[in-house]
Amino acid sequence: MMGLTFWFRRFSENNAVAGLARLDAIQLQQMLRTGQISSLELVDALLEQYAAWEPRVGAFLNFRADQARDQARELDRRRSAGADLGLLAGLPVSVKDILCTVDYPTTCGSRMLRDYHSPFDATVVARIRDAGGIVFGKTNLDEFAMGSSTENSALAVTRNPWNTEHVPGGSSGGGAASVSAGICPLAIGTDTGGSIRQPAAFCGISGLKPTYGRVSRYGLVAFASSLDQAGPMARSVPELALLLEAIAGHDPRDATSAPNEVPSYSHTIAEPLRGLRIGIVPDHFDAGLDAEVDAAVREALGAFRARGATVREIELPASRQAIATYYVIAPCEASSNLARYDGVHFGHRSTERDRTDESPLARLYCRSRAEGLGAEVKRRIMLGTYALSSGYYEAYYLQAMRVRRLIRDELLAAFQSVDVIVGPTTPAPAYRLGEKANDPLSMYLEDLYTVSANLAGIPALSVPCGLSRSGLPIGLQIQAAPFAEELLLRAGAMYQQVTDWHQRRPAA
Ligand code: GLN
């Protein structure tokens, strides 16, 4: 810490470097390229930001300043030797602690994996490094990404930078807080039912869940394999395009990864978008929607109309079952995926020895799981095991899979007549810490607008579109057809050209 303090002091005296934390990844990239700043100067400026914010928000589970500085130094050395450093050259990216990294533990926010060190990097992480990005710490999350507030983390509490009495959202709450607080320009989150978009909305930043298969899941610790997808978080949409371009693409190590070419999102984002056809779903504006969120979304639609977009209503009746469907399928897959954490194959092993008539092995499994897993994870494993058990499988899992198909079909049909579907990301702005912690159902209902995109495998974006009277951010969700990320990003960028919500920052 002594060393850090020295650097903080040195750089607070250096005006050229002060304020770097306020610039976006595109501006920083330009300054790095032209030699106006070095990667090390950038990292040091962000370490200052870390020192100011991290004690208040708790975005990170593990953070190694020295490691980030070493990586920056190495990048500076290669740059001065004339090397082409790649798309993210010198840019710090925080990584949700559910993606495997060789140089940090990968805990998934669980006591079960508190000491787990992966022997390999997730493909997403490897691509960030290959593109010259700097892994800037591992961020907090709900245990195994199950939750919407980051309160289910067994290891740390993360707070919303806009108001530290409130949750940052979840499960990628640490990543959203890290960008919102200006500790790093870019973050990687994961989204199984809204976990990139909802914390992005709560923390006033942008976040994209890509099409299922667009980004490799290799090394992303599985929660619900048919829904999980990693994606970019940043303040603005052009920054998302940059990070998506770096991480997307086919990976032979992930059988579900798509072979489709990766467009140059960071270039096509600048192309003008004319005559955008927007669909809105009347259900999204029902009584459950907070009045301030409603007003902000309607104002955003006005901004689109002013840029030549047309808006029409579409009905998505099957999507009314989306929450029920998701909360059968996701726990079913979780119960299967989490079977490996038994203290023998993986994870915390109980050391408690007691004499009972039970088999010592069964006892070891029970105790290891009882000690290693939190209440929400246990709840999901039980729900999933129940829904998959003989006699209930047809009634729950199979039925949910049928409804999932209907939800996908009706969304794909809708994209025949509209380019994007626009609505609120969440029913209300960020709630207070503890407010819903003991009420799983009301927590699940938070995911009302986000889970359909995961069930259908389509891409979906959240961008900031307002602030409530109490000063909390509001998010606008934009969804598009499979692999229409280019269009989605251009629509988001168009909105950000005429609004400045994404430039607002929490008070220091
Ligand atoms: N909030 C949802 C859940 O608890 C979504 C989580 C996620 O996207 N990882 O399952």
Side-chain angles (χ1 to χ4, degrees):
M1 220 41 212
M2 274 293 285
L4 278 186
T5 320
F6 167 76
W7 283 105
F8 296 153
R9 214 170 291 129
R10 189 186 141 188
F11 282 108
S12 29
E13 287 157 17
N14 182 342
N15 281 336
V17 176
L20 283 186
R22 299 196 68 82
L23 302 179
D24 69 30
I26 317 277
Q27 296 166 312
L28 292 168
Q29 196 188 36
Q30 191 60 23
M31 292 173 79
L32 287 162
R33 223 174 247 152
T34 55
Q36 278 172 273
I37 53 163
S38 69
S39 302
L40 187 59
E41 283 170 331
L42 172 57
V43 164
D44 282 329
L46 296 179
L47 289 177
E48 203 168 325
Q49 198 73 4
Y50 174 89
W53 278 94
E54 180 60 5
R56 274 183 281 161
V57 298
F60 294 87
L61 285 174
N62 273 294
F63 188 87
R64 295 188 180 149
D66 289 348
Q67 201 164 293
R69 299 190 75 236
D70 288 348
Q71 287 177 27
R73 243 189 242 108
E74 173 61 15
L75 287 165
D76 286 335
R77 193 192 59 72
R78 285 174 48 206
R79 195 193 293 275
S80 53
D84 175 12
L85 297 182
L87 206 55
L88 302 178
L91 294 175
V93 187
S94 72
V95 175
K96 186 176 182 179
D97 205 18
I98 194 165
L99 286 141
C100 290
T101 42
V102 287
D103 50 356
Y104 276 99
T106 299
T107 68
C108 298
S110 182
R111 281 188 299 275
M112 191 50 107
L113 293 179
R114 193 204 294 262
D115 305 314
Y116 177 67
H117 271 84
S118 167
F120 62 91
D121 274 336
T123 297
V124 168
V125 173
R127 288 194 177 166
I128 288 170
R129 298 194 209 270
D130 289 347
I134 296 171
V135 172
F136 209 59
K138 300 290 292 286
T139 53
N140 197 17
L141 68 159
D142 288 296
E143 186 172 8
F144 287 104
M146 298 177 194
S148 307
S149 67
T150 311
E151 290 167 294
N152 293 339
S153 171
L155 305 180
V157 176
T158 301
R159 295 165 184 277
N160 192 315
W162 291 83
N163 182 334
T164 53
E165 298 292 304
H166 289 248
V167 300
S171 63
S172 313
S178 73
V179 171
S180 168
I183 297 171
C184 50
L186 303 171
I188 293 288
T190 66
D191 191 314
T192 303
S195 279
I196 288 176
R197 292 161 283 159
Q198 186 257 21
F202 278 11
C203 290
I205 65 164
S206 306
L208 172 73
K209 181 203 89 74
T211 305
Y212 184 77
R214 178 73 294 186
V215 174
S216 169
R217 289 185 300 110
Y218 180 73
L220 160 58
V221 178
F223 157 16
S225 312
S226 77
L227 303 162
D228 298 341
Q229 191 63 195
M233 307 175 88
R235 213 162 277 112
S236 70
V237 174
E239 294 170 278
L240 298 181
L242 183 72
L243 186 52
L244 180 66
E245 188 174 329
I247 61 171
H250 182 248
D251 177 9
R253 290 189 165 117
D254 170 6
T256 61
S257 111
N260 309 33
E261 277 295 302
V262 179
S264 180
Y265 301 116
S266 60
H267 285 102
T268 58
I269 190 143
E271 288 171 16
L273 197 54
R274 286 195 191 85
L276 185 70
R277 296 171 305 165
I278 295 177
I280 56 168
V281 186
D283 288 353
H284 290 177
F285 299 87
D286 268 359
L289 185 66
D290 173 275
E292 290 183 277
V293 176
D294 188 312
V297 170
R298 289 184 197 278
E299 202 177 310
L301 287 167
F304 275 110
R305 278 202 195 89
R307 297 290 309 265
T310 54
V311 179
R312 52 178 285 209
E313 288 191 355
I314 54 169
E315 294 288 342
L316 298 175
S319 291
R320 288 177 200 141
Q321 312 304 326
I323 286 279
T325 306
Y326 172 86
Y327 278 99
V328 172
I329 293 174
C332 283
E333 294 190 20
S335 73
S336 164
N337 276 324
L338 272 67
R340 71 192 67 161
Y341 306 109
D342 56 11
V344 177
H345 294 95
F346 277 103
H348 165 79
R349 181 178 300 179
S350 176
T351 51
E352 186 160 329
R353 299 278 170 268
D354 58 358
R355 291 179 195 290
T356 61
D357 293 337
E358 282 176 71
S359 123
L361 183 62
R363 192 77 198 147
L364 177 70
Y365 287 157
C366 286
R367 295 216 68 86
S368 299
R369 287 183 172 143
E371 292 167 12
L373 299 173
E376 182 60 28
V377 172
K378 287 175 183 160
R379 183 179 297 121
R380 305 268 179 126
I381 291 174
M382 286 190 280
L383 285 171
T385 308
Y386 178 82
L388 286 174
S389 59
S390 128
Y392 297 103
Y393 177 87
E394 283 79 9
Y396 292 107
Y397 182 71
L398 222 54
Q399 188 67 2
M401 288 301 278
R402 290 194 189 102
V403 179
R404 178 181 191 172
R405 166 52 65 102
L406 294 177
I407 291 170
R408 178 174 163 87
D409 287 350
E410 90 180 357
L411 276 163
L412 296 190
F415 289 121
Q416 301 290 323
S417 57
V418 298
D419 301 311
V420 291
I421 297 172
V422 173
T425 305
T426 64
Y431 39 89
R432 285 178 179 278
L433 280 151
E435 193 178 318
K436 293 179 195 275
N438 297 316
D439 186 354
L441 187 60
S442 93
M443 193 80 96
Y444 296 171
L445 291 173
E446 278 293 304
D447 305 330
L448 188 62
Y449 305 128
T450 48
V451 293
S452 305
N454 302 79
L455 291 167
I458 63 172
L461 173 70
S462 180
V463 291
C465 72
L467 284 174
S468 71
R469 272 188 299 276
S470 57
L472 289 165
I474 297 171
L476 182 78
Q477 179 172 238
I478 314 175
Q479 307 182 73
F483 296 101
E485 278 88 354
E486 271 186 289
L487 174 79
L488 194 53
L489 291 164
R490 283 164 66 201
M494 177 168 102
Y495 176 70
Q496 291 187 337
Q497 277 162 11
V498 294
T499 55
D500 69 352
W501 299 111
H502 60 292
Q503 284 160 358
R504 309 288 181 97
R505 282 162 183 270

